[in-house]
Amino acid sequence: MSANKDALILDIQRMSTEDGPGLRTTVFFKGCNLVCPWCHNPESIRSRPDLNWFGHKCIGCGICETACKQGAVGRNAGLVKFNRVLCKACGDCAEECPNGAIELKGKLMPVETLFRELAKDRPYFGADGGVTLSGGEVMLQAEAAAALARLLHEAGIGVALDTAGCYDFRTLEAALPYTDLVLYDLKIFDPVEHKRIIGADNRLILENYRRLIQAGARVWVRTPVIEGATGSPANIRALGAFIREAGVPDKWELCSFNNLCRDKYERLDLDWQYKNAGLTRKEDIENLRNIAAEYVPCAVYSGTTV
Ligand code: SF4
Ligand code: SF4
């Protein structure tokens, strides 16, 4: 576990209140091994930097076309268009763009440097807050994550780890001694549905949850409420029965859906099947919360509803 290791980071979000207790700084690791179609962080999925294009800032000067040595910038109906297969993510176009219309999201940072950056926020952490390591899937960069968690822990800063649990449990073990709270996603209980919708088997995820509880970790389970995918009474019942049997967490949070991230998809030239989906209805999520609480009394819901 080396603090000289680089971490590929998407972003650092300060004063966060949704990624664990208290006021927090959330660091988003880049790269994910699941493909949840409702993902709110599409820029975090690929394990490499991604170009974001802000169309409203583009003045059509064409400087980016000249700057790109890979021939990855062209035009489509007069608008700048990136060939993301040819793009080598060198960032030359972003550097040359006179109007800040291109941004390269994702950069390598030595863990030690990242730690120093995060530790600057210590004044607002208070007794409950701290740093949340999120993603993407933070455990795809397990060595860097464990090294960072250790530095934070040794500096007396609370560490939460936000993970979807789809990997060998040994991957997580190195970080656990330095982690105060694990935010653990459980989305769909039925393995066939999980595979169909998210693209991966969930047996490992369920088994890792069980092992996490057995290891004595403090856990908050999080379930996004997505109509037609996770947000059915049957799924919440099945997850509830599993959680009750495998071990009750400190909290089970049902998180409402919003489509505020749709601009992120546009900046990456991606279509998003949920771009016009509405907010979760309050009565629906309350109903699901009541079902969840039949199994796990600590069930709550969060987020904006209509
Ligand atoms: S350099 Fe920037 S402003 Fe000029 S065409 Fe490219 S994206 Fe648009
Ligand atoms: S990041 Fe580099 S390779 Fe990609 S489009 Fe811009 S200049 Fe071309």
Side-chain angles (χ1 to χ4, degrees):
M1 194 192 312
S2 164
N4 296 324
K5 182 103 186 143
D6 284 344
L8 181 63
I9 297 304
L10 171 70
D11 215 349
I12 293 173
Q13 186 176 299
R14 299 196 145 88
M15 308 287 274
S16 162
T17 54
E18 293 170 359
D19 300 312
L23 262 185
R24 313 193 67 82
T25 295
T26 303
V27 52
F28 294 92
F29 283 61
K30 198 156 161 33
C32 191
N33 58 351
L34 298 179
V35 282
C36 307
W38 53 83
C39 179
H40 275 55
N41 249 343
E43 330 97 299
S44 70
I45 293 173
R46 295 203 310 171
S47 296
R48 53 168 274 186
D50 277 313
L51 273 187
N52 280 234
W53 183 64
F54 299 81
H56 65 285
K57 289 188 181 176
C58 177
I59 52 173
C61 65
I63 288 175
C64 51
E65 291 175 77
T66 316
C68 180
K69 296 172 191 68
Q70 306 298 328
V73 190
R75 298 263 175 171
N76 186 3
L79 294 176
V80 168
K81 192 81 191 160
F82 297 95
N83 183 324
R84 291 172 190 272
V85 177
L86 292 180
C87 174
K88 298 280 186 257
C90 67
D92 288 353
C93 56
E95 225 162 83
E96 298 277 327
C97 174
N99 221 29
I102 308 172
E103 197 183 334
L104 202 59
K105 295 284 253 179
K107 67 174 177 182
L108 283 170
M109 282 179 86
V111 166
E112 179 75 43
T113 309
L114 184 55
F115 161 71
R116 282 200 298 271
E117 186 61 30
L118 298 166
K120 288 179 192 166
D121 299 340
R122 191 198 293 260
Y124 69 69
F125 292 154
D128 296 334
V131 172
T132 300
L133 279 51
S134 185
E137 173 51 68
V138 62
M139 279 299 126
L140 295 190
Q141 301 184 62
E143 198 184 332
L148 179 60
R150 181 178 184 168
L151 287 173
L152 291 164
H153 178 79
E154 287 174 353
I157 296 172
V159 177
L161 207 148
D162 177 11
T163 180
C166 193
Y167 42 73
D168 190 304
F169 191 73
R170 282 169 295 184
T171 311
L172 189 56
E173 278 176 324
L176 276 186
Y178 315 112
T179 301
D180 303 287
L181 172 71
V182 180
L183 306 171
Y184 199 85
D185 289 1
L186 290 175
K187 295 165 181 131
I188 298 174
F189 182 74
D190 182 90
V192 177
E193 278 296 278
H194 195 280
K195 176 105 182 154
R196 181 180 73 79
I197 295 175
I198 298 180
D201 199 305
N202 68 350
R203 275 171 281 206
L204 200 51
I205 296 171
L206 298 176
E207 182 53 30
N208 283 345
Y209 174 74
R210 192 185 296 282
R211 294 187 64 175
L212 206 47
I213 294 289
Q214 283 167 358
R218 182 181 175 214
V219 181
W220 288 5
V221 172
R222 299 206 291 191
T223 302
V225 171
I226 313 295
E227 208 179 319
T230 65
S232 71
N235 184 50
I236 297 302
R237 280 186 202 289
L239 284 176
F242 166 74
I243 293 169
R244 184 171 63 185
E245 180 270 319
V248 173
D250 276 27
K251 180 156 88 169
W252 181 13
E253 185 175 11
L254 306 183
C255 309
S256 67
F257 170 84
N258 68 63
N259 65 9
L260 294 176
C261 61
R262 71 179 153 198
D263 290 356
K264 296 183 183 177
Y265 282 86
E266 283 168 16
R267 294 200 285 267
L268 292 164
D269 296 327
L270 295 172
D271 196 16
W272 187 39
Q273 73 178 84
Y274 288 97
K275 65 184 170 199
N276 295 320
L279 289 169
T280 308
R281 292 185 338 147
K282 190 164 190 250
E283 64 193 78
D284 290 345
I285 202 164
E286 275 179 351
N287 180 38
L288 293 174
R289 202 238 31 129
N290 291 340
I291 292 170
E294 289 171 21
Y295 297 85
V296 179
C298 59
V300 297
Y301 73 87
S302 66
T304 310
T305 55
V306 284

